[in-house]
Amino acid sequence: MAIAYIALGANLGDPASTLPAAFAALDSVPDSRLLARSALYLSAPVGLTGQPDFVNAAARIETTLAPAALLDALFAIEQQFGRLRGERNGPRTLDLDLLLYDQQVITTPRLTLPHPRLHLRAFVLLPLADLDHALSIPGRGTLAAWLPAVATQGIRRLDA
Protein backbone atom coordinates (compact mmCIF):
# COMPACT_ATOMS: atom_id res chain seq x y z
CA MET A 1 0.00 0.00 0.00
CA ALA A 2 1.14 3.49 -0.85
CA ILE A 3 0.14 6.77 0.75
CA ALA A 4 -0.78 9.55 -1.65
CA TYR A 5 -1.70 13.17 -1.07
CA ILE A 6 -4.13 14.95 -3.36
CA ALA A 7 -5.01 18.65 -3.64
CA LEU A 8 -8.62 19.56 -4.35
CA GLY A 9 -9.83 22.89 -5.69
CA ALA A 10 -12.93 24.38 -7.31
CA ASN A 11 -14.34 27.81 -8.05
CA LEU A 12 -17.34 27.17 -10.31
CA GLY A 13 -20.78 26.04 -9.21
CA ASP A 14 -20.95 25.47 -5.44
CA PRO A 15 -17.36 24.62 -4.48
CA ALA A 16 -18.15 24.29 -0.76
CA SER A 17 -20.51 21.42 -1.69
CA THR A 18 -18.37 20.04 -4.50
CA LEU A 19 -15.31 19.36 -2.35
CA PRO A 20 -17.10 17.14 0.22
CA ALA A 21 -18.62 15.20 -2.69
CA ALA A 22 -15.15 14.92 -4.23
CA PHE A 23 -13.80 13.46 -0.96
CA ALA A 24 -16.51 10.79 -1.22
CA ALA A 25 -15.51 10.12 -4.82
CA LEU A 26 -11.87 9.72 -3.76
CA ASP A 27 -12.99 7.16 -1.19
CA SER A 28 -14.65 5.15 -3.96
CA VAL A 29 -11.54 4.90 -6.18
CA PRO A 30 -10.84 1.17 -6.71
CA ASP A 31 -8.10 -0.32 -4.54
CA SER A 32 -7.93 2.91 -2.53
CA ARG A 33 -9.27 4.32 0.71
CA LEU A 34 -9.62 7.88 1.99
CA LEU A 35 -7.65 8.14 5.22
CA ALA A 36 -7.98 11.84 6.07
CA ARG A 37 -9.31 15.10 4.72
CA SER A 38 -8.32 18.66 5.50
CA ALA A 39 -10.52 21.59 6.32
CA LEU A 40 -11.77 23.72 3.44
CA TYR A 41 -9.89 26.93 2.62
CA LEU A 42 -10.87 29.98 0.57
CA SER A 43 -8.10 31.41 -1.61
CA ALA A 44 -7.69 34.01 -4.32
CA PRO A 45 -6.95 32.71 -7.82
CA VAL A 46 -3.29 32.44 -8.81
CA GLY A 47 -2.08 33.41 -12.27
CA LEU A 48 -5.39 34.25 -13.93
CA THR A 49 -7.24 36.89 -11.94
CA GLY A 50 -10.77 38.06 -12.65
CA GLN A 51 -12.37 34.77 -11.67
CA PRO A 52 -14.11 33.62 -8.48
CA ASP A 53 -12.10 32.65 -5.41
CA PHE A 54 -11.26 28.98 -4.99
CA VAL A 55 -12.22 26.56 -2.27
CA ASN A 56 -9.26 24.25 -1.62
CA ALA A 57 -8.55 21.19 0.47
CA ALA A 58 -6.28 18.14 0.60
CA ALA A 59 -6.77 14.41 1.06
CA ARG A 60 -4.56 11.56 2.19
CA ILE A 61 -5.39 8.20 0.65
CA GLU A 62 -4.05 4.69 0.84
CA THR A 63 -3.87 2.93 -2.52
CA THR A 64 -2.44 -0.04 -4.37
CA LEU A 65 -2.83 1.77 -7.69
CA ALA A 66 0.37 2.81 -9.45
CA PRO A 67 0.85 6.60 -9.68
CA ALA A 68 -0.22 6.78 -13.36
CA ALA A 69 -3.34 4.70 -12.68
CA LEU A 70 -4.20 6.92 -9.71
CA LEU A 71 -3.77 9.98 -11.93
CA ASP A 72 -6.19 8.43 -14.43
CA ALA A 73 -8.70 7.88 -11.62
CA LEU A 74 -8.36 11.53 -10.56
CA PHE A 75 -8.99 12.73 -14.13
CA ALA A 76 -12.08 10.49 -14.30
CA ILE A 77 -13.44 12.07 -11.09
CA GLU A 78 -12.81 15.56 -12.49
CA GLN A 79 -14.84 14.59 -15.58
CA GLN A 80 -17.68 13.26 -13.40
CA PHE A 81 -17.82 16.73 -11.84
CA GLY A 82 -17.96 18.46 -15.23
CA ARG A 83 -14.32 19.54 -15.49
CA LEU A 84 -13.42 20.99 -18.85
CA ARG A 85 -9.73 21.53 -19.45
CA GLY A 86 -9.26 24.90 -21.03
CA GLU A 87 -7.30 27.95 -20.01
CA ARG A 88 -4.33 27.26 -17.70
CA ASN A 89 -5.13 28.39 -14.14
CA GLY A 90 -8.67 29.12 -15.32
CA PRO A 91 -11.94 28.52 -13.49
CA ARG A 92 -12.97 24.92 -12.91
CA THR A 93 -15.69 22.80 -11.37
CA LEU A 94 -13.07 20.51 -9.80
CA ASP A 95 -9.31 20.21 -9.92
CA LEU A 96 -7.53 17.20 -8.43
CA ASP A 97 -3.74 17.26 -8.32
CA LEU A 98 -1.61 14.31 -7.28
CA LEU A 99 0.92 15.96 -4.97
CA LEU A 100 2.86 13.11 -3.41
CA TYR A 101 2.96 9.34 -3.76
CA ASP A 102 4.93 7.88 -0.87
CA GLN A 103 8.38 9.44 -1.24
CA GLN A 104 8.61 8.72 -4.96
CA VAL A 105 10.22 11.18 -7.34
CA ILE A 106 8.78 10.82 -10.85
CA THR A 107 9.30 12.98 -13.92
CA THR A 108 7.41 11.98 -17.04
CA PRO A 109 5.64 14.09 -19.66
CA ARG A 110 2.36 13.30 -17.89
CA LEU A 111 3.26 13.28 -14.20
CA THR A 112 5.78 15.01 -11.98
CA LEU A 113 6.07 13.98 -8.32
CA PRO A 114 6.30 15.66 -6.02
CA HIS A 115 4.04 18.23 -7.66
CA PRO A 116 6.48 20.89 -8.90
CA ARG A 117 4.77 23.91 -7.29
CA LEU A 118 3.24 22.45 -4.14
CA HIS A 119 5.82 24.07 -1.85
CA LEU A 120 5.09 27.55 -3.25
CA ARG A 121 1.35 27.71 -2.66
CA ALA A 122 -0.47 28.39 0.58
CA PHE A 123 -3.65 26.86 -0.85
CA VAL A 124 -1.77 23.54 -1.06
CA LEU A 125 0.50 23.74 2.00
CA LEU A 126 -2.09 24.77 4.59
CA PRO A 127 -4.52 21.95 3.78
CA LEU A 128 -1.57 19.50 3.71
CA ALA A 129 -0.49 20.77 7.13
CA ASP A 130 -3.95 19.80 8.44
CA LEU A 131 -3.12 16.23 7.43
CA ASP A 132 0.54 16.02 8.49
CA HIS A 133 2.45 19.10 9.68
CA ALA A 134 5.71 17.10 9.66
CA LEU A 135 5.24 15.79 6.12
CA SER A 136 8.45 15.38 4.15
CA ILE A 137 8.50 16.62 0.55
CA PRO A 138 11.14 14.73 -1.45
CA GLY A 139 13.90 17.09 -2.52
CA ARG A 140 12.33 20.03 -0.66
CA GLY A 141 12.49 19.18 3.06
CA THR A 142 9.58 19.43 5.44
CA LEU A 143 6.25 21.01 4.75
CA ALA A 144 6.59 23.04 7.96
CA ALA A 145 9.79 24.65 6.66
CA TRP A 146 7.88 26.05 3.65
CA LEU A 147 4.91 27.50 5.55
CA PRO A 148 6.59 30.83 6.46
CA ALA A 149 7.31 31.52 2.78
CA VAL A 150 3.58 31.44 1.93
CA ALA A 151 2.31 33.24 5.06
CA THR A 152 1.38 36.39 3.15
CA GLN A 153 -0.66 34.63 0.44
CA GLY A 154 -4.38 35.33 0.70
CA ILE A 155 -6.05 32.28 2.19
CA ARG A 156 -8.47 31.64 5.03
CA ARG A 157 -9.87 28.54 6.64
CA LEU A 158 -13.62 28.14 6.20
CA ASP A 159 -15.73 27.13 9.17
CA ALA A 160 -17.01 23.65 8.46
Side-chain angles (χ1 to χ4, degrees), residues 43-49 51 54 88-90 92 121-123 153:
S43 65
V46 171
L48 184 65
T49 56
Q51 61 177 318
F54 279 83
R88 187 166 195 255
N89 296 321
R92 58 205 67 168
R121 297 177 168 169
F123 66 83
Q153 293 178 13

Side-chain angles (χ1 to χ4, degrees), residues 25-67:
L26 287 172
D27 198 33
S28 69
V29 170
D31 303 312
S32 303
R33 181 170 61 104
L34 179 68
L35 297 176
R37 56 184 271 180
S38 73
L40 301 182
Y41 290 82
L42 188 68
S43 65
V46 171
L48 184 65
T49 56
Q51 61 177 318
D53 286 347
F54 279 83
V55 176
N56 298 99
R60 179 175 59 233
I61 68 168
E62 180 179 68
T63 186
T64 60
L65 295 176

Side-chain angles (χ1 to χ4, degrees), residues 74-83 85 93-96:
L74 299 181
F75 286 164
I77 292 170
E78 287 179 346
Q79 288 182 332
Q80 290 170 13
F81 282 81
R83 169 80 188 263
R85 292 193 175 272
T93 54
L94 180 62
D95 184 34
L96 299 174

Side-chain angles (χ1 to χ4, degrees), residues 45-132:
V46 171
L48 184 65
T49 56
Q51 61 177 318
D53 286 347
F54 279 83
V55 176
N56 298 99
R60 179 175 59 233
I61 68 168
E62 180 179 68
T63 186
T64 60
L65 295 176
L70 180 56
L71 185 65
D72 289 339
L74 299 181
F75 286 164
I77 292 170
E78 287 179 346
Q79 288 182 332
Q80 290 170 13
F81 282 81
R83 169 80 188 263
L84 299 174
R85 292 193 175 272
E87 195 167 15
R88 187 166 195 255
N89 296 321
R92 58 205 67 168
T93 54
L94 180 62
D95 184 34
L96 299 174
D97 287 329
L98 182 54
L99 302 172
L100 298 164
Y101 186 98
D102 281 340
Q103 290 291 300
Q104 289 192 30
V105 176
I106 299 172
T107 304
T108 69
R110 216 172 146 241
L111 177 62
T112 301
L113 291 175
H115 189 284
R117 293 171 301 284
L118 81 88
H119 64 290
L120 303 174
R121 297 177 168 169
F123 66 83
V124 175
L125 291 178
L126 270 69
L128 277 177
D130 284 354
L131 302 176
D132 185 352

Side-chain angles (χ1 to χ4, degrees), residues 139-158:
R140 300 272 183 213
T142 65
L143 180 149
W146 286 97
L147 288 172
V150 301
T152 61
Q153 293 178 13
I155 184 170
R156 71 176 172 87
R157 188 178 174 135
L158 297 175

